[in-house]
């Protein structure tokens, strides 16, 4: 979670060869300020700007994902959730921590990193370069 000014967002888009359109700036700022991965419908709800219709927001999410700025860090029941990654190596950007998906409200929450790595034998121990761990259940608000 970080505050990304409009000017910073413009600079990041420019350095990735993307034009700074109003919807694109809004999407990237919302992803950057979120404390959890956001789905397309989350972003639609958070963007108050009525100039940004859902289809435009979707196209921009895909564009940002393709540019490496909005990787999909969670996928639950076929719903992709995006985060912001400036490519400048902020620790949380790649979301290499477990996520919790609530079966009731559908919210996906970032959990703290787990200290104990998974213990696997070869060849799987060598095969894994990245772990995506997702828990499911009822979140504390829904219990
Ligand atoms: Zn819940
Ligand atoms: Zn996360």
């Amino acid at each position: 979670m970080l505050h990304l000014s409009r000017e910073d967002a413009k600079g990041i888009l420019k350095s990735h060869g993307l034009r700074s359109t109003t919807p694109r700036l809004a999407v990237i700022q919302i992803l950057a300020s979120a404390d959890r991965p956001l789905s397309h419908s989350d972003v639609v709800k958070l963007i108050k700007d009525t100039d940004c219709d859902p289809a435009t927001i979707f196209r921009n999410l895909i564009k940002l994902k393709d540019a490496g700025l909005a990787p999909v860090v969670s996928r639950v029941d076929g719903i992709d959730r995006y985060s912001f990654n400036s490519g400048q190596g902020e620790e949380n950007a790649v979301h290499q921590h477990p996520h919790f998906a609530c079966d009731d409200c559908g919210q996906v929450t970032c959990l703290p990193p787990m200290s104990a790595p998974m213990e696997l034998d070869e060849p799987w121990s060598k095969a894994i370069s990245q772990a995506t761990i997702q828990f499911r259940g009822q979140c504390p608000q829904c219990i």
Side-chain angles (χ1 to χ4, degrees), residues 26-108:
V27 168
I28 201 169
Q29 285 183 293
I30 279 178
L31 289 178
S33 64
D35 58 359
R36 59 192 174 91
L38 299 177
S39 67
H40 171 239
S41 59
D42 291 333
V43 176
V44 170
K45 269 180 235 152
L46 289 165
I47 290 187
K48 310 282 191 302
D49 192 334
T50 49
D51 286 348
C52 305
D53 64 279
T56 304
I57 291 167
F58 187 72
R59 275 199 305 277
N60 277 291
L61 278 171
I62 300 301
K63 193 103 185 166
L64 292 169
K65 183 185 81 166
D66 290 347
L69 289 169
V72 172
V73 295
S74 163
R75 184 170 286 156
V76 183
D77 297 338
I79 298 174
D80 287 343
R81 283 183 173 77
Y82 305 82
S83 72
F84 169 68
N85 182 4
S86 71
Q88 283 155 10
E90 316 86 33
E91 196 197 318
N92 215 33
V94 282
H95 287 256
Q96 283 186 343
H97 45 233
H99 288 114
F100 183 93
C102 178
D103 287 327
D104 279 2
C105 65
Q107 182 133 315
V108 171

